[in-house]
Amino acid sequence: ARTMRIRIAHETVYSYAVPAHAVIQTLRLTPRNYEGQHVANWRIDVDQDCRLDAHEDAFGNITHTFSCNGPIQTLTVRVDGLVETNDTAGIVRGAIERFPPGLYLRGTDLTAADAGIRAYAEERKALGGDTLATLHALLDDLSRDMVFDKDPTHAATTAVEAFALKRGVCQDFAHVFIAAARHLNIPARYVGGYFLHADGTIDQEAGHAWAEAFVPDLGWVGFDPANATCPTEHHIRIACGLDYLNAAPIRGSRHGGDGEFLTVKAVVDQAARQVQVQQ
């Protein structure tokens, strides 16, 4: 199997026009080991005086919560890590599963389907074939029919809104895919992580997102409609949930701190292999 070593440097900077009195954040920024993914090292730094408390959420994601007291003018959360990956043909094995697949049929506001999405899903199913064939048709066609565009959508954009526009970012593609799959009674979930672009683009504005669907006899299989592919050794899986809100890299609240401005930089790069020379 092809093995890849991927280095991540992900920096999120919050700045406040009016200093914040207090900030509390929950981070889902730490990957776990499972088949095809081994975390060699991983570190989170927050540039304020606080303690990171590690927990595990309901979905088995590793979370870190911190709170800090102000006045806070800027707050930086930085992740540095190295992960070794293998291609598993998109199949997820050895991940922590807290729930039966049926839980992931549950709708959310961000992943609700309207008549348009339902019809689109039915058309893909009508092409014939099994669950896997239907999901692949959905993957291929969504990546063709939707345009990657970061202008018209935002974190709270729903699948219905993005599908009506036929544009959005990876999060929107994932939400539309999930909405369509659930309409067909296929359990589907949202996955947040990182993606190493094959074209050598290493500077990215954010992490990446895709979907996973449950296929009889195979289990959970990943589908990345923004890239028209099933996840490969180029993907690092961090967190999963019913939708973006369950797997968001950073969620929190603040007291004060009006005029919040956020900048995110993610560098996803292939690390050099270490070759041992025998004496």
Side-chain angles (χ1 to χ4, degrees):
R2 293 171 297 185
T3 304
M4 198 169 257
R5 290 161 57 86
I6 303 176
R7 200 181 299 283
I8 302 291
H10 183 181
E11 191 175 77
T12 306
V13 181
Y14 292 87
S15 50
Y16 306 100
V18 180
H21 305 304
V23 174
I24 178 163
Q25 303 270 25
T26 297
L27 312 177
R28 283 179 182 76
L29 284 167
T30 307
R32 306 196 83 129
N33 294 331
Y34 68 102
E35 198 175 308
Q37 175 170 297
H38 172 71
V39 184
N41 56 57
W42 200 265
R43 183 187 165 87
I44 299 177
D45 285 305
V46 180
D47 72 343
Q48 295 287 336
D49 184 26
C50 64
R51 189 178 79 235
L52 286 176
D53 291 318
H55 299 279
E56 212 174 86
D57 70 11
F59 297 98
N61 302 317
I62 297 173
T63 68
H64 290 86
T65 304
F66 70 88
S67 58
C68 46
N69 293 315
I72 301 160
Q73 191 81 57
T74 65
L75 170 69
T76 301
V77 178
R78 188 177 164 86
V79 173
D80 287 287
L82 179 66
V83 179
E84 292 172 356
T85 57
N86 288 88
D87 189 2
T88 60
I91 299 169
V92 181
R93 292 193 196 93
I96 289 178
E97 298 294 352
R98 293 272 179 267
F99 300 112
L103 176 98
Y104 295 98
L105 289 167
R106 185 182 293 177
T108 68
D109 291 344
L110 290 175
T111 57
D114 65 353
I117 292 175
R118 288 194 290 268
Y120 194 84
E122 297 282 355
E123 284 162 16
R124 303 305 161 293
K125 189 180 182 182
L127 297 169
D130 55 8
T131 301
L132 189 60
T134 301
L135 290 165
H136 274 288
L138 199 54
L139 171 75
D140 295 341
D141 293 352
L142 268 183
S143 61
R144 179 196 69 204
D145 295 338
M146 282 182 70
V147 177
F148 190 90
D149 180 355
K150 50 185 189 289
D151 287 342
T153 61
H154 48 85
T157 300
T158 66
V160 167
E161 291 165 342
F163 188 71
L165 291 166
K166 296 290 188 290
R167 346 176 59 81
V169 293
C170 51
Q171 171 183 318
D172 302 305
F173 280 76
H175 281 154
V176 173
F177 185 97
I178 290 164
R182 286 182 189 156
H183 169 65
L184 299 175
N185 214 34
I186 303 169
R189 63 190 178 192
Y190 183 97
V191 179
Y194 297 100
F195 176 65
L196 175 68
H197 285 277
D199 66 4
T201 307
I202 60 167
D203 292 315
Q204 301 176 24
E205 288 184 24
H208 190 53
W210 58 95
E212 287 171 357
F214 193 80
V215 179
D217 303 327
L218 274 181
W220 288 101
V221 180
F223 296 90
D224 180 356
N227 287 307
T229 182
C230 287
T232 67
E233 73 276 15
H234 287 254
H235 290 69
I236 294 177
R237 184 181 187 275
I238 303 273
C240 73
L242 289 168
D243 62 18
Y244 165 76
L245 294 176
N246 295 146
I250 302 182
R251 283 185 75 186
S253 57
R254 63 178 194 277
H255 184 56
D258 291 347
E260 178 182 85
F261 186 73
L262 174 65
T263 55
V264 181
K265 284 204 305 267
V267 177
V268 182
D269 198 5
Q270 194 170 351
R273 292 175 193 279
Q274 291 167 327
V275 182
Q276 291 183 327
V277 181
Q278 302 230 299
Q279 295 293 337

